[in-house]
Amino acid sequence: MTEQNTTNQNQTDDEARKKLYEQYVREVNDRIKSNQEAQDKMILTLSASLFGLLSIFLKEVPNTCYAIVILFLLSGLTLITLTSTLLSFYFCKKGNIKDTHYAYKYYMEKQEKYFNKESLWSRIGNICNNVALISFALLLITYAIMIIYYFITK
């Protein structure tokens, strides 16, 4: 009788762990889809608007040393922002796949060492995300400086 109770309890625990794993996988898949949509929107919006502004400034701003430095800074920050955004998406996607594997190990194979384990891919993706945010903030500040410079010299 005790063995049957233990067996029933183990089956119940296994079913609960399986449900938790399935819920985790659904959440990860939703997160991947959401991140992809947000990244696509951000990249398209950012690219179109910044390159449009850059072309205006190339025509309108006088060729001074200060303006040339600002234009190179704008170009470099735009490149860093777009590149880190794309890399962030790539690494986060790979990280989500690896993290799902870790969740399988924890929930289904009952290996406790995989509890809340984060993959290297996810950590690199988070670093790329932070670089994208910082470079985007610097890019906006640089554009503000360029606009102020434009109106001062006009």
Side-chain angles (χ1 to χ4, degrees):
M1 184 74 171
T2 325
E3 287 180 32
Q4 186 176 6
N5 287 342
T6 305
T7 303
N8 288 340
Q9 182 63 34
N10 286 342
Q11 287 176 344
T12 305
D13 288 346
D14 288 345
E15 288 173 9
R17 290 176 82 86
K18 185 176 181 183
K19 285 181 183 179
L20 287 171
Y21 171 71
E22 289 170 353
Q23 179 183 354
Y24 178 83
V25 170
R26 273 193 305 275
E27 289 173 5
V28 167
N29 288 333
D30 290 344
R31 201 171 37 215
I32 289 170
K33 182 180 177 186
S34 173
N35 285 345
Q36 183 176 11
E37 290 171 355
Q39 296 283 354
D40 289 345
K41 288 177 186 176
M42 182 179 157
I43 289 170
L44 290 174
T45 303
L46 180 68
S47 298
S49 62
L50 296 182
F51 285 125
L53 285 174
L54 191 58
S55 65
I56 291 170
F57 287 124
L58 285 174
K59 286 190 253 179
E60 298 295 327
V61 174
N63 288 335
T64 64
C65 182
Y66 179 75
I68 291 170
V69 168
I70 291 291
L71 288 173
F72 275 115
L73 191 59
L74 286 172
S75 300
L77 286 171
T78 301
L79 181 65
I80 291 169
T81 302
L82 291 174
T83 303
S84 59
T85 301
L86 291 171
L87 288 175
S88 165
F89 173 70
Y90 173 76
F91 288 126
C92 285
K93 184 177 178 183
K94 295 218 28 123
N96 284 335
I97 292 168
K98 191 69 173 175
D99 292 342
T100 302
H101 174 71
Y102 290 158
Y104 179 83
K105 294 275 193 185
Y106 174 72
Y107 287 114
M108 304 309 290
E109 295 179 4
K110 300 177 184 176
Q111 296 183 25
E112 296 296 322
K113 68 180 180 181
Y114 289 101
F115 178 71
N116 280 343
K117 185 172 182 177
E118 185 181 32
S119 68
L120 177 62
W121 295 110
S122 292
R123 289 193 298 268
I124 293 171
N126 289 334
I127 291 168
C128 289
N129 260 334
N130 292 335
V131 169
L133 290 173
I134 291 168
S135 63
F136 184 65
L138 292 173
L139 185 61
L140 293 177
I141 291 168
T142 307
Y143 265 107
I145 292 169
M146 189 66 167
I147 291 169
I148 291 168
Y149 179 74
Y150 170 73
F151 284 113
I152 289 173
T153 58
K154 188 174 180 184

